[in-house]
Amino acid sequence: MQKCLYRACLIVVASVLFASCGKKVTIDSYALIPQPVEMTVESGTFSLTSSTKCYAGNMGQNDPVIKFISTRLRQWHLNPVLAGKPEANCLQFLVNEDYVDELGDEGYQIDVDKDGVAVSANTERGLFYGFQTFVQMLPEDVATTRYSRIDLPYCHIKDYPRFGWRGCHLDVSRHFFGVSQVKKILDVMALYKMNKFHWHLTDDHGWRIEIEKYPLLNDIGSWRVDRDDQPWGEADPAGEGGFRDAGPVGFHKPIIVNYAAERFIDVVPEIEIPGHCCAILEAYPQFACAGDDTTYTVQFGPYWPPRAILCGGNDSVMTFLKDVMDEIIPLFPYKYIHIGGDEAVKDNWTRCPRCKKRMHDLKLTDCEQLQGWMIVEMENYVRLQGRSIIGWDEMLDGNVSSEATVMSWRGESGGIAAARRGNDVIMTPIDYCYFNFYQANADFQPPAMPNTLITLDKVYGYDPMPKGLTPRQQKHILGGQANLWTEYINTPEMTEYMLLPRLCAMAENLWTPPSAKSWQRFRANVARHTVRLEANDYTVGSGSFKPLVDVEKTADGKRLVTLDGEVEGTRFYYRVGDGPFVRYECPFEVAKGDSISTVAFYKGMMKEKVYTFNIK
Ligand code: ACM
Ligand code: ZN
């Protein structure tokens, strides 16, 4: 009896200690990215505490998704006891017994009510996305703060994606990023329900995947001179025989494929042909055109125009490419292999007797057709092994089968043309989706790819569904993708700085129907997600402080000027003509032709140049 009492006292003391060692918080409102299709919040809260249980429904605790979920919850000291049956005060994760058509394979439902939190979906993938939404319902600092009680407002969410292809690309050739950084990018993709990782593995600046049959690809092609002390745009060319054993270089064995699969992300390797191949040609110069006496080296810094090209008339080049595919295909289980095809300068082909002979023999009228022939050869080879190809939109300049998927990057026109001719399309137009460009005024930013400004606001305004397609053609638009070329990006932190928060905007563009999007709400959510991302050790760009100016014509012919900022909390000052600068509080009236100047401040610091513009 006494022993029992003693034990009971210990349990009480232990639970009081547990409860008192964490913070209590009531979530005021949910900040979800991407915004769900339907969400209603009701009065009342459910308290998640140490006595909340977890019921894994029909799946059991060894199911990979349930393991993923319980590992995460444990990391955050939310360690619900597993329940054998559904009960009150419970987190439930359930795969629907009957398929709910509206949710499809990727959708899910969440209900928070007096009984707890129930996440349900038709598939494990859907359940995983439901969990990612649940994660975003928890406090922003849940990864770094111990909570003993989290009060979650009652709500009902029904959610499913607009597009099936929600991609993010990473160039590991221009600068090499190792496994831990790739995993970090996969983690953040998963948080935002992105599901395709396009891994740009080969280029002029390094070959980044192990190929056993051609060891020089790695012994030579994966290494280059160390010039990272020089700005990319002004770097001395790599030259010959430079010192090679330093700098952010190396190559991958694709051990991230399982890690990605646990996060329901498919990995698409890109093996670039026929251009962007200095790394191949330094290792195997025999694959260059006949008569080309260039000494190729793995590049550093701008390499433009990219003249290195594999010979289109040399059978051993095709054998090499097929051998490479034989090693790539077993490593990457997903359906697609990306074969590049962009920016191949074909001067060498016009001079090379072997290329000329191939064109003559095959009755090809120009070099574009020769590239088309190479691509179709590769496509047929890949297809024999049950796979399909993706290529950049230059693919449309030569012959391309209707089975190939086109990645529209030089604008939207390639994607539109491809969808009209019946090819599947992934939209990634350079003006919206290339996160290697500046996200804010270059004067206030670390160096990035110059001459284009892609602000968060601009990305958010992008609709991956091009205008002017019939419903049938629209079905060919699989989705879109953010691309991160890494010429100017030479640290892991910079990959994050350039991706975030713009990846949040792209994720919402690809998931949320346009009718459920709102810039004002998204902007406020980004501020809270910045806190969440930083608590998870991500480096987040602060965005653009350039004013968003709206001019409205009034009934009496004047102009009403509204200033807004991309970053919540930006303070604007303005002046009309040569008048004094005044703080912007609300929309103000001016006359047509007036000159307005603005300055932006954030947290007490001037964050932008003075902008002057005339009111039309
Ligand atoms: C590309 O940006 N050259 C596809
Ligand atoms: Zn040739």
Side-chain angles (χ1 to χ4, degrees), residues 287-290 309-314 348-349 352-356 370:
F287 297 148
C289 278
I309 190 162
L310 299 169
C311 180
N314 182 346
N348 285 352
W349 284 6
C352 168
R354 286 190 304 235
C355 287
K356 287 203 252 187
L370 180 55

Side-chain angles (χ1 to χ4, degrees), residues 284-322:
Y284 295 99
Q286 65 269 35
F287 297 148
C289 278
D292 177 9
D293 55 8
T294 313
T295 304
Y296 291 99
T297 50
V298 183
Q299 293 294 318
F300 186 92
Y303 174 60
W304 201 260
R307 288 190 191 283
I309 190 162
L310 299 169
C311 180
N314 182 346
D315 288 341
S316 66
V317 168
M318 297 315 290
T319 305
F320 161 75
L321 293 174
K322 290 173 184 174

Side-chain angles (χ1 to χ4, degrees), residues 154-226:
Y154 294 161
C155 79
H156 303 284
I157 292 174
K158 191 187 284 177
D159 200 15
Y160 44 85
R162 181 175 178 214
F163 292 103
W165 190 286
R166 303 181 299 278
C168 178
H169 148 291
L170 178 69
D171 165 10
V172 291
S173 174
R174 273 47 180 272
H175 282 96
F176 180 69
F177 299 97
V179 170
S180 61
Q181 191 56 20
V182 174
K183 286 183 174 176
K184 226 175 147 195
I185 290 174
L186 293 169
D187 283 341
V188 82
M189 286 176 65
L191 178 65
Y192 295 115
K193 304 185 177 75
M194 302 197 83
N195 62 355
K196 311 290 171 192
F197 177 62
H198 171 174
W199 210 6
H200 186 76
L201 289 163
T202 72
D203 215 301
D204 295 307
H205 300 79
W207 179 279
R208 304 293 182 207
I209 185 150
E210 183 173 33
I211 299 293
E212 287 180 11
K213 192 158 186 185
Y214 294 89
L216 299 185
L217 284 175
N218 300 119
D219 292 350
I220 293 176
S222 300
W223 305 89
R224 67 168 181 239
V225 293
D226 181 14

